[in-house]
Short mmCIF file of all heavy atoms in Angstrom, two decimals:
data_model
loop_
_atom_site.label_atom_id
_atom_site.label_comp_id
_atom_site.label_asym_id
_atom_site.label_seq_id
_atom_site.Cartn_x
_atom_site.Cartn_y
_atom_site.Cartn_z
N MET A 52 0.67 5.14 -7.27
CA MET A 52 1.62 5.23 -6.16
C MET A 52 2.41 3.93 -6.02
O MET A 52 3.62 3.96 -5.76
CB MET A 52 0.89 5.55 -4.86
CG MET A 52 0.25 6.92 -4.85
SD MET A 52 -0.76 7.16 -3.38
CE MET A 52 0.29 8.29 -2.50
N ALA A 53 1.74 2.80 -6.21
CA ALA A 53 2.43 1.50 -6.13
C ALA A 53 3.50 1.39 -7.21
O ALA A 53 4.59 0.88 -6.95
CB ALA A 53 1.42 0.37 -6.24
N VAL A 54 3.21 1.88 -8.41
CA VAL A 54 4.21 1.87 -9.49
C VAL A 54 5.41 2.72 -9.09
O VAL A 54 6.57 2.31 -9.25
CB VAL A 54 3.59 2.36 -10.82
CG1 VAL A 54 4.68 2.63 -11.87
CG2 VAL A 54 2.58 1.34 -11.34
N ASP A 55 5.15 3.91 -8.55
CA ASP A 55 6.25 4.77 -8.11
C ASP A 55 7.09 4.08 -7.02
O ASP A 55 8.32 4.18 -7.02
CB ASP A 55 5.72 6.11 -7.59
CG ASP A 55 5.15 6.99 -8.70
OD1 ASP A 55 5.45 6.75 -9.89
OD2 ASP A 55 4.38 7.91 -8.36
N MET A 56 6.41 3.38 -6.11
CA MET A 56 7.13 2.66 -5.05
C MET A 56 7.98 1.55 -5.64
O MET A 56 9.13 1.35 -5.22
CB MET A 56 6.12 2.09 -4.05
CG MET A 56 5.43 3.15 -3.23
SD MET A 56 4.13 2.40 -2.19
CE MET A 56 3.25 3.86 -1.67
N ALA A 57 7.44 0.82 -6.62
CA ALA A 57 8.21 -0.25 -7.27
C ALA A 57 9.42 0.33 -7.99
O ALA A 57 10.52 -0.23 -7.91
CB ALA A 57 7.32 -1.02 -8.24
N LYS A 58 9.25 1.45 -8.66
CA LYS A 58 10.38 2.11 -9.34
C LYS A 58 11.44 2.53 -8.33
O LYS A 58 12.63 2.56 -8.65
CB LYS A 58 9.89 3.33 -10.11
CG LYS A 58 9.12 2.98 -11.36
CD LYS A 58 8.63 4.24 -12.06
CE LYS A 58 7.85 3.91 -13.32
NZ LYS A 58 7.30 5.12 -13.96
N ALA A 59 11.02 2.85 -7.10
CA ALA A 59 11.94 3.29 -6.05
C ALA A 59 12.50 2.14 -5.23
O ALA A 59 13.19 2.37 -4.24
CB ALA A 59 11.25 4.30 -5.14
N GLY A 60 12.18 0.89 -5.62
CA GLY A 60 12.81 -0.24 -4.94
C GLY A 60 11.91 -1.13 -4.11
O GLY A 60 12.39 -2.12 -3.54
N ALA A 61 10.62 -0.82 -3.99
CA ALA A 61 9.72 -1.69 -3.24
C ALA A 61 9.62 -3.05 -3.94
O ALA A 61 9.51 -3.11 -5.17
CB ALA A 61 8.34 -1.08 -3.11
N THR A 62 9.70 -4.12 -3.18
CA THR A 62 9.62 -5.46 -3.76
C THR A 62 8.28 -6.14 -3.45
O THR A 62 8.04 -7.26 -3.90
CB THR A 62 10.76 -6.35 -3.25
OG1 THR A 62 10.69 -6.44 -1.82
CG2 THR A 62 12.11 -5.79 -3.67
N GLN A 63 7.44 -5.46 -2.68
CA GLN A 63 6.09 -5.95 -2.39
C GLN A 63 5.25 -4.77 -1.93
O GLN A 63 5.77 -3.78 -1.42
CB GLN A 63 6.12 -7.04 -1.32
CG GLN A 63 6.78 -6.63 -0.02
CD GLN A 63 7.01 -7.81 0.90
OE1 GLN A 63 6.48 -8.89 0.69
NE2 GLN A 63 7.78 -7.60 1.94
N ILE A 64 3.94 -4.90 -2.16
CA ILE A 64 3.01 -3.83 -1.82
C ILE A 64 1.91 -4.40 -0.94
O ILE A 64 1.35 -5.46 -1.24
CB ILE A 64 2.37 -3.21 -3.09
CG1 ILE A 64 3.43 -2.67 -4.06
CG2 ILE A 64 1.35 -2.13 -2.72
CD1 ILE A 64 4.21 -1.48 -3.58
N ILE A 65 1.58 -3.69 0.12
CA ILE A 65 0.41 -4.01 0.93
C ILE A 65 -0.67 -3.01 0.56
O ILE A 65 -0.43 -1.79 0.56
CB ILE A 65 0.72 -3.92 2.44
CG1 ILE A 65 1.76 -4.97 2.83
CG2 ILE A 65 -0.57 -4.08 3.26
CD1 ILE A 65 2.27 -4.83 4.25
N CYS A 66 -1.86 -3.53 0.23
CA CYS A 66 -2.98 -2.68 -0.15
C CYS A 66 -4.03 -2.71 0.95
O CYS A 66 -4.56 -3.76 1.29
CB CYS A 66 -3.57 -3.17 -1.47
SG CYS A 66 -4.94 -2.14 -2.04
N LEU A 67 -4.33 -1.55 1.51
CA LEU A 67 -5.34 -1.42 2.55
C LEU A 67 -6.58 -0.79 1.92
O LEU A 67 -6.65 0.42 1.71
CB LEU A 67 -4.81 -0.56 3.70
CG LEU A 67 -3.53 -1.08 4.35
CD1 LEU A 67 -3.06 -0.11 5.43
CD2 LEU A 67 -3.72 -2.47 4.91
N GLY A 68 -7.53 -1.64 1.59
CA GLY A 68 -8.76 -1.22 0.94
C GLY A 68 -9.58 -2.45 0.61
O GLY A 68 -9.25 -3.57 1.01
N VAL A 69 -10.66 -2.27 -0.16
CA VAL A 69 -11.50 -3.40 -0.55
C VAL A 69 -10.82 -4.21 -1.67
O VAL A 69 -9.85 -3.77 -2.26
CB VAL A 69 -12.92 -2.95 -0.95
CG1 VAL A 69 -13.63 -2.30 0.23
CG2 VAL A 69 -12.89 -2.02 -2.14
N ASP A 70 -11.37 -5.39 -1.94
CA ASP A 70 -10.76 -6.32 -2.87
C ASP A 70 -10.43 -5.70 -4.23
O ASP A 70 -9.33 -5.89 -4.75
CB ASP A 70 -11.67 -7.54 -3.09
CG ASP A 70 -11.84 -8.38 -1.84
OD1 ASP A 70 -11.05 -8.23 -0.90
OD2 ASP A 70 -12.80 -9.18 -1.81
N PHE A 71 -11.38 -4.99 -4.83
CA PHE A 71 -11.12 -4.48 -6.17
C PHE A 71 -9.96 -3.50 -6.20
O PHE A 71 -9.30 -3.35 -7.22
CB PHE A 71 -12.39 -3.86 -6.80
CG PHE A 71 -12.65 -2.42 -6.45
CD1 PHE A 71 -12.02 -1.39 -7.12
CD2 PHE A 71 -13.53 -2.11 -5.43
CE1 PHE A 71 -12.26 -0.07 -6.81
CE2 PHE A 71 -13.80 -0.78 -5.11
CZ PHE A 71 -13.15 0.24 -5.80
N MET A 72 -9.69 -2.84 -5.08
CA MET A 72 -8.55 -1.91 -5.04
C MET A 72 -7.24 -2.67 -5.15
O MET A 72 -6.34 -2.26 -5.89
CB MET A 72 -8.61 -1.07 -3.77
CG MET A 72 -9.77 -0.14 -3.73
SD MET A 72 -9.90 0.70 -2.15
CE MET A 72 -11.51 1.46 -2.32
N ALA A 73 -7.12 -3.78 -4.43
CA ALA A 73 -5.90 -4.60 -4.54
C ALA A 73 -5.77 -5.16 -5.95
O ALA A 73 -4.66 -5.20 -6.51
CB ALA A 73 -5.93 -5.72 -3.50
N GLU A 74 -6.89 -5.58 -6.53
CA GLU A 74 -6.86 -6.10 -7.90
C GLU A 74 -6.44 -5.01 -8.88
O GLU A 74 -5.66 -5.26 -9.80
CB GLU A 74 -8.23 -6.66 -8.27
CG GLU A 74 -8.60 -7.89 -7.47
CD GLU A 74 -10.08 -8.23 -7.53
OE1 GLU A 74 -10.86 -7.50 -8.18
OE2 GLU A 74 -10.47 -9.25 -6.91
N SER A 75 -6.93 -3.80 -8.69
CA SER A 75 -6.55 -2.67 -9.55
C SER A 75 -5.08 -2.32 -9.40
O SER A 75 -4.39 -2.06 -10.39
CB SER A 75 -7.41 -1.44 -9.24
OG SER A 75 -8.75 -1.67 -9.56
N VAL A 76 -4.60 -2.30 -8.16
CA VAL A 76 -3.18 -2.02 -7.91
C VAL A 76 -2.31 -3.04 -8.64
O VAL A 76 -1.35 -2.69 -9.32
CB VAL A 76 -2.87 -1.99 -6.39
CG1 VAL A 76 -1.37 -2.03 -6.13
CG2 VAL A 76 -3.49 -0.75 -5.75
N LYS A 77 -2.68 -4.32 -8.53
CA LYS A 77 -1.91 -5.37 -9.20
C LYS A 77 -1.95 -5.21 -10.71
O LYS A 77 -0.93 -5.34 -11.39
CB LYS A 77 -2.43 -6.75 -8.78
CG LYS A 77 -1.65 -7.89 -9.38
CD LYS A 77 -0.18 -7.85 -8.98
CE LYS A 77 0.60 -9.01 -9.59
NZ LYS A 77 2.04 -8.76 -9.58
N ALA A 78 -3.13 -4.90 -11.27
CA ALA A 78 -3.25 -4.72 -12.72
C ALA A 78 -2.40 -3.55 -13.21
O ALA A 78 -1.75 -3.64 -14.26
CB ALA A 78 -4.72 -4.52 -13.09
N ILE A 79 -2.39 -2.46 -12.46
CA ILE A 79 -1.59 -1.29 -12.85
C ILE A 79 -0.10 -1.60 -12.74
O ILE A 79 0.69 -1.21 -13.61
CB ILE A 79 -2.00 -0.06 -12.02
CG1 ILE A 79 -3.43 0.36 -12.43
CG2 ILE A 79 -1.02 1.09 -12.21
CD1 ILE A 79 -4.07 1.39 -11.52
N LEU A 80 0.30 -2.32 -11.70
CA LEU A 80 1.70 -2.74 -11.60
C LEU A 80 2.07 -3.61 -12.80
O LEU A 80 3.12 -3.40 -13.43
CB LEU A 80 1.95 -3.51 -10.30
CG LEU A 80 2.08 -2.69 -9.03
CD1 LEU A 80 1.98 -3.59 -7.80
CD2 LEU A 80 3.39 -1.91 -9.01
N ASN A 81 1.23 -4.59 -13.13
CA ASN A 81 1.50 -5.48 -14.26
C ASN A 81 1.63 -4.70 -15.55
O ASN A 81 2.56 -4.94 -16.34
CB ASN A 81 0.39 -6.52 -14.39
CG ASN A 81 0.40 -7.56 -13.30
OD1 ASN A 81 1.29 -7.60 -12.46
ND2 ASN A 81 -0.63 -8.39 -13.28
N LYS A 82 0.71 -3.77 -15.78
CA LYS A 82 0.73 -2.97 -17.01
C LYS A 82 2.01 -2.17 -17.15
O LYS A 82 2.46 -1.88 -18.26
CB LYS A 82 -0.48 -2.04 -17.02
CG LYS A 82 -0.60 -1.19 -18.26
CD LYS A 82 -1.82 -0.31 -18.21
CE LYS A 82 -1.84 0.56 -19.47
NZ LYS A 82 -2.08 1.94 -19.19
N ASN A 83 2.61 -1.82 -16.04
CA ASN A 83 3.82 -1.01 -16.04
C ASN A 83 5.10 -1.83 -15.90
O ASN A 83 6.16 -1.28 -15.59
CB ASN A 83 3.73 0.05 -14.94
CG ASN A 83 2.79 1.17 -15.33
OD1 ASN A 83 3.18 2.09 -16.03
ND2 ASN A 83 1.53 1.07 -14.92
N GLY A 84 5.01 -3.14 -16.11
CA GLY A 84 6.21 -3.99 -16.12
C GLY A 84 6.63 -4.53 -14.77
O GLY A 84 7.74 -5.02 -14.63
N PHE A 85 5.76 -4.46 -13.78
CA PHE A 85 6.12 -4.94 -12.44
C PHE A 85 5.30 -6.17 -12.06
O PHE A 85 4.80 -6.29 -10.93
CB PHE A 85 5.93 -3.82 -11.42
CG PHE A 85 6.89 -2.67 -11.60
CD1 PHE A 85 6.49 -1.51 -12.21
CD2 PHE A 85 8.22 -2.79 -11.21
CE1 PHE A 85 7.37 -0.46 -12.42
CE2 PHE A 85 9.12 -1.75 -11.40
CZ PHE A 85 8.69 -0.58 -12.00
#
Side-chain angles (χ1 to χ4, degrees):
M52 295 173 107
V54 168
D55 290 342
M56 291 174 193
K58 287 178 180 176
T62 59
Q63 56 190 347
I64 303 293
I65 296 172
C66 182
L67 303 177
V69 297
D70 295 343
F71 85 83
M72 294 174 190
E74 293 163 359
S75 295
V76 166
K77 182 60 180 162
I79 292 169
L80 282 166
N81 289 354
K82 182 179 178 228
N83 285 277
F85 293 102

